[in-house]
Amino acid sequence: MTLSVPRIAIIGGGPGGLYAAALLKRLDPGREVTVWERNAPDDTFGFGVVLSDETLGGIEHADPVVYEAMQSDFVRWDDIDIVHRGVRHTSGGHGFAALGRRRLLEILHDRCRALGVDLRFRTVAPAGLEETHDLVIAADGVNSTTRERHSHVFRPYVTPHHCRYIWLAADFPFDAFRFEIAETEHGVMQLHGYPYSPGASTVIIEMREEVWGAAGFYEVTPQESTESCAKIFAEALRGRPLRSNNSTWTTFRTVVNDHWSHGNTVLLGDAAHTAHFSIGSGTKLAVEDALALAASLEEQPSLEGALAAYEAERKPVVASTQRAARASLEWFENLGLYLDQPPRQFAFNLLTRSRRVTHDNLRLRDARFTGAVESDFGCAPGTPPMFTPFRLRALTLRNRVVVSPMDMYSATDGIPGDFHLVHLGARALGGAGLVMTEMVCVSPEGRITPGCTGLYNGRQAAAWKRITDFVHAQSPGTAIGVQLGHSGRKGSTRLMWEGIDEPLPDGNWPVVAPSPIPYKPSNQTPRELGRAQLTDIREQFTAAAWRAARAGFDLLELHCAHGYLLSGFLSPLTNRRTDAYGGSLAKRLRFPLEVFDAVRGVWPQERPMTVRISATDWAEGGNTAEDAVEIARAFAAHGADAIDVSTGQVVAEEHPEYGRSYQTPYADRIRHETGVPVIAVGAISSWDDVNSLILAGRTDLCALARPHLYDPHWTLHAAAEQGYDGPGVVWPDPYRAGSRRPQTGRTDAPKPRLTLGT
């Protein structure tokens, strides 16, 4: 039953607002639907609009008249061309559909008029619409006045970014979606171009703010900008001019709102959210918003319920799209990092930048292109990238999968027992190239909880040797590494499942830190470490490293992340010292580097050492990605063989930006800016993610935690699912009979061949 909403006001006559008007009027012809648009009917900014098959399917189902009108004007193509340093690589099978933005508006105008929608152009929406109408839809764009007027309720967050861009057009059609890179005397510039009609293409020119300024674009007229861009990209444009349509240079801003409705007013399209144009989602999201809002009004018994349902449906979809758009945006912002990649790997990196197109997905679209990238990378025929070897000093890992350190909180007196033997042994049998222990503590006071393991006495070392001996004997070719750390101010807390980071109800031990700042108000205030205590702790690390070497570990990782002791020195939020160990980043690095040097001095030279860092504190005033690069560079200069790049957990008031593979951009940046190998972590959950990240050159190794809790044989199963049976992964002889997927129920029932009419 259609909800009674007799009078609807729509502010903004862009595609989202117009399509919402058409849908709502079509669903209930008795409604009074009015659209206020301050511009003229034929005013439009930008040129072409790209829509996905998924969005088009929704339009076709909801309004076949609009779909058919659009269908007749679509330009379709399958290829993406990437041109860099004079070399063009083409990837096919992508499937795009575009049409002119002005033509799209004409179609929607005609449909609205045919349905009886009142379109009021050159008219600013009057104040007080929420009092005279039952529903007000604010589709008034990125600079929404409605959103700003009620900002105390919508709570918008508007984030500017680092590139300038301008929308232009060329009077000829590209034969593919084209990305072209220009390395100029002022810096790197890029062209994004695609056809939108048989005789025209959209052309977007983008560059970092500092490049834009150095090139003098801030002091020339729009026409001069257009002419300069045409000269810079003359080859891509075949010597033809560019034209503008009131085009100006602008900076993209990401818009996020905590809430999308206020009373009977609701946000739609760019007023509610924005997603960078490099993934072509602005109009797509607005049209999908309109579809969801109209459906919610049909399905819910009250306006309040309908607006809540609309927001609940759209927010997760938009958030996912914005994460992909943010990844794409930042890839182009940091384009200069990738210029020296091999040409085909550069192209693959660009194509997979948003993490929505993956290795497996791209292989389905264009097996020839993907196979060429794999061959350039060094993959033997039939070998997925994740099963290529990687060397650190004298240690060669047979594949790129790492079982990430995971605290088990299951030790007694710091001694790993049968649980640890089974836990780590099972994952070693599961095929990963490297299995890491949990954080192994260097002293009783350095434990996080009473259940943490240690390496501060001989009994613990002997118990660890039992585990390394099992791994080496039963899973030959699998390496096992130890992560050494000290809990610092996050120590003396309960087991994770009893209250993570909460102090013990009794039996607490004193905790120490660079500065006397408790992790949370409920935690102990740590004692600030003096010079003598620093020396003692450094010696505890070296003694633990010496025991680790005798216990047979193949690799040692120094834990300088997640707010534990050494991480506490690195972050300005937790290190307020005024002596030689606090202040500038160089001083904050001093003690962690002293510990690293001492450990490296006793750790066998042929065995590698890695360092785990938190690449951002996710908190204002904390370490940033730029700081992480310098931290990584410092450890590499002291002999670190790889940097294990995590984020956060340094302060309780952090605000992480969670999402699939959300930490990998930090590893990517460190790898390309420092040249040191990296281990990427953070919500990497599929073998397709691993292949994509490795082949794109964003990381050297991938560490996975929760997937290995879900499936100890994750790597073996990844090989089976990809049909791989080579040296990069070895099934233990007793398990080899299980190297094929078990049969499931029958799925090949005969399909109907004939449908009879009635």
Side-chain angles (χ1 to χ4, degrees):
M1 178 178 176
T2 302
L3 176 66
S4 177
V5 189
R7 299 194 73 205
I8 299 174
I10 299 176
I11 306 171
L18 291 169
Y19 191 54
L23 287 174
L24 292 168
K25 185 69 172 176
R26 179 170 180 262
L27 289 168
D28 184 355
R31 284 174 173 153
E32 178 187 308
V33 180
T34 307
V35 177
W36 278 269
E37 170 53 55
R38 63 182 180 177
N39 294 307
D42 56 351
D43 285 348
T44 185
F45 306 95
F47 298 93
V49 173
V50 179
L51 294 172
S52 69
D53 289 341
E54 181 182 29
T55 305
L56 293 174
I59 294 172
E60 182 180 20
H61 182 75
D63 194 333
V65 174
V66 170
Y67 176 79
E68 288 301 325
M70 293 170 61
Q71 181 86 340
S72 63
D73 282 279
F74 276 137
V75 175
R76 295 184 179 273
W77 72 99
D78 291 322
D79 291 347
I80 297 176
D81 284 346
I82 296 141
V83 183
H84 173 43
R85 293 182 175 170
V87 179
R88 182 176 72 174
H89 289 288
T90 299
S91 172
H94 296 276
F96 295 101
L99 77 165
R101 183 177 175 86
R102 181 168 291 171
R103 177 58 186 144
L104 174 60
L105 293 176
E106 289 173 353
I107 291 169
L108 294 173
H109 292 162
D110 291 345
R111 184 58 172 154
C112 285
R113 290 190 183 100
L115 291 166
V117 174
D118 183 3
L119 300 178
R120 301 186 182 183
F121 295 104
R122 301 185 182 90
T123 307
V124 175
L129 288 173
E130 64 275 9
E131 298 172 4
T132 58
H133 289 74
D134 301 288
L135 174 64
V136 178
I137 300 173
D140 48 348
V142 65
N143 298 312
S144 170
T145 56
T146 310
R147 184 186 67 222
E148 293 309 309
R149 189 165 62 251
H150 301 295
S151 61
H152 62 290
V153 176
F154 295 126
R155 294 178 60 191
Y157 300 89
V158 181
T159 306
H161 298 286
H162 300 298
C163 283
R164 290 268 184 165
Y165 68 96
I166 188 169
W167 288 82
L168 302 168
D171 291 324
F172 73 94
F174 285 121
D175 54 9
F177 207 127
R178 187 179 182 100
F179 294 99
E180 181 145 346
I181 314 304
E183 296 176 65
T184 74
E185 59 182 313
H186 308 294
V188 184
M189 306 177 187
Q190 58 258 19
L191 174 150
H192 311 240
Y194 58 87
Y196 67 86
S197 77
S201 296
T202 292
V203 176
I204 306 169
I205 308 299
E206 183 184 25
M207 63 199 72
R208 286 187 67 95
E209 179 89 27
E210 59 269 24
V211 177
W212 178 82
F217 283 115
Y218 67 95
E219 58 185 2
V220 300
T221 66
Q223 181 58 34
E224 289 170 330
S225 280
T226 302
E227 292 170 357
S228 294
C229 290
K231 290 177 183 176
I232 292 166
F233 291 98
E235 185 173 344
L237 299 170
R238 307 170 198 172
R240 302 185 190 189
L242 290 168
R243 58 181 169 87
S244 71
N245 177 19
N246 298 316
S247 306
T248 59
W249 291 98
T250 189
T251 301
F252 186 81
R253 292 175 295 160
T254 298
V255 174
V256 176
N257 286 276
D258 278 353
H259 304 285
W260 289 15
S261 65
H262 170 46
N264 65 342
T265 301
V266 64
L267 303 178
L268 183 146
D270 283 356
H273 47 71
T274 59
H276 192 246
F277 57 81
S278 61
I279 66 167
S281 290
T283 301
K284 170 184 181 295
L285 289 175
V287 167
E288 290 174 351
D289 283 354
L291 285 163
L293 178 59
S296 296
L297 290 168
E298 284 287 289
E299 296 161 357
Q300 299 298 321
S302 69
L303 180 62
E304 181 182 10
L307 299 186
Y310 159 69
E311 183 173 336
E313 177 183 339
R314 292 298 295 156
K315 255 192 170 179
V317 176
V318 168
S320 175
T321 302
Q322 287 186 315
R323 283 194 296 271
R326 180 71 175 260
S328 178
L329 176 155
E330 290 178 349
W331 193 93
F332 282 111
E333 283 185 341
N334 297 308
L335 177 61
L337 295 178
Y338 310 115
L339 296 177
D340 292 329
Q341 283 191 305
R344 263 190 287 259
Q345 186 181 50
F346 176 88
F348 180 88
N349 197 353
L350 186 153
L351 291 168
T352 59
R353 67 195 181 278
S354 73
R355 303 193 286 273
R356 287 202 158 181
V357 176
T358 63
H359 169 263
D360 198 48
N361 180 271
L362 197 57
R363 186 171 55 184
L364 289 173
R365 298 181 188 209
D366 192 338
R368 179 180 297 181
F369 171 80
T370 308
V373 181
E374 292 172 345
S375 178
D376 289 352
F377 184 77
C379 299
T383 301
M386 65 185 293
F387 294 119
T388 56
F390 191 73
R391 186 178 179 87
L392 292 168
R393 295 202 182 210
L395 177 65
T396 298
L397 303 177
R398 65 185 176 199
N399 62 53
R400 307 298 186 101
V401 180
V402 179
V403 176
S404 196
M406 293 176 278
D407 288 317
M408 293 289 107
Y409 307 109
S410 300
T412 302
D413 296 327
I415 300 172
D418 289 347
F419 176 88
H420 295 85
L421 175 66
V422 173
H423 167 69
L424 293 170
R427 279 139 192 92
L429 292 171
L434 172 63
V435 176
M436 292 297 299
T437 69
E438 61 195 82
M439 185 178 93
V440 177
C441 305
V442 298
S443 69
E445 300 77 21
R447 291 175 298 163
I448 308 166
T449 74
C452 290
T453 58
L455 256 174
Y456 44 86
N457 63 41
R459 291 178 61 204
Q460 295 161 353
W464 282 117
K465 190 171 189 309
R466 175 183 176 225
I467 294 170
T468 63
D469 284 349
F470 176 89
V471 171
H472 292 145
Q474 300 301 323
S475 185
T478 297
I480 181 167
V482 61
Q483 185 188 69
L484 292 184
H486 187 296
S487 60
R489 68 178 188 154
K490 295 177 77 175
S492 191
T493 58
R494 305 181 191 193
L495 304 183
M496 180 180 67
W497 46 88
E498 294 176 354
I500 189 168
D501 295 324
E502 291 298 320
L504 295 167
D506 53 64
N508 285 281
W509 58 86
V511 296
V512 297
S515 300
I517 307 169
Y519 180 65
K520 293 190 299 187
S522 59
N523 294 106
Q524 292 183 56
T525 297
R527 184 179 77 251
E528 181 173 305
L529 288 164
R531 190 67 189 88
Q533 290 79 37
L534 293 176
T535 300
D536 290 344
I537 288 173
R538 187 185 67 211
E539 290 177 353
Q540 289 168 358
F541 271 95
T542 56
W546 180 82
R547 292 188 184 98
R550 290 177 62 85
F553 286 104
D554 302 297
L555 175 147
L556 186 149
E557 179 165 284
L558 190 64
H559 201 337
C560 297
H562 299 168
Y564 298 122
L565 182 67
L566 298 182
S567 171
F569 275 91
L570 293 174
S571 174
L573 298 176
T574 51
N575 183 346
R576 307 284 176 81
R577 300 173 74 101
T578 57
D579 62 3
Y581 293 100
S584 68
L585 179 57
K587 289 183 176 181
R588 300 198 308 272
L589 269 161
R590 184 175 175 183
F591 184 63
L593 289 174
E594 285 182 1
V595 172
F596 180 91
D597 290 342
V599 170
R600 181 71 268 184
V602 300
W603 185 245
Q605 285 301 304
E606 72 279 5
R607 300 187 207 177
M609 268 188 70
T610 63
V611 179
R612 174 168 278 205
I613 67 170
S614 286
T616 175
D617 293 342
W618 297 117
E620 186 175 351
N623 279 331
T624 64
E626 290 77 15
D627 297 319
V629 170
E630 295 309 312
I631 291 168
R633 188 172 280 126
F635 279 112
H638 282 246
D641 299 293
I643 305 298
D644 189 353
V645 187
S646 187
T647 65
Q649 302 179 54
V650 175
V651 292
E653 59 273 20
E654 66 178 3
H655 296 285
E657 297 175 3
Y658 292 119
R660 177 167 144 257
S661 305
Y662 73 104
Q663 295 177 156
T664 58
Y666 296 94
D668 185 0
R669 181 168 181 176
I670 287 170
R671 184 179 190 271
H672 282 93
E673 288 203 31
T674 68
V676 65
V678 296
I679 306 168
V681 303
I684 303 169
S685 56
S686 71
W687 49 259
D688 195 18
D689 285 340
V690 176
N691 283 328
S692 301
L693 294 167
I694 296 295
L695 192 57
R698 294 180 198 140
T699 188
D700 299 284
L701 300 167
C702 288
L704 299 92
R706 288 178 178 85
H708 282 115
L709 294 180
Y710 181 77
D711 179 5
H713 300 109
W714 186 89
T715 310
L716 292 178
H717 294 156
E721 289 167 13
Q722 295 176 83
Y724 174 73
D725 184 17
V729 64
V730 177
W731 284 80
D733 288 338
Y735 288 0
R736 183 160 288 279
S739 61
R740 295 180 181 177
R741 270 185 159 183
Q743 293 183 357
T744 58
R746 182 176 176 182
T747 60
D748 60 344
K751 302 295 189 293
R753 296 298 305 275
L754 182 65
T755 301
L756 299 177
T758 58

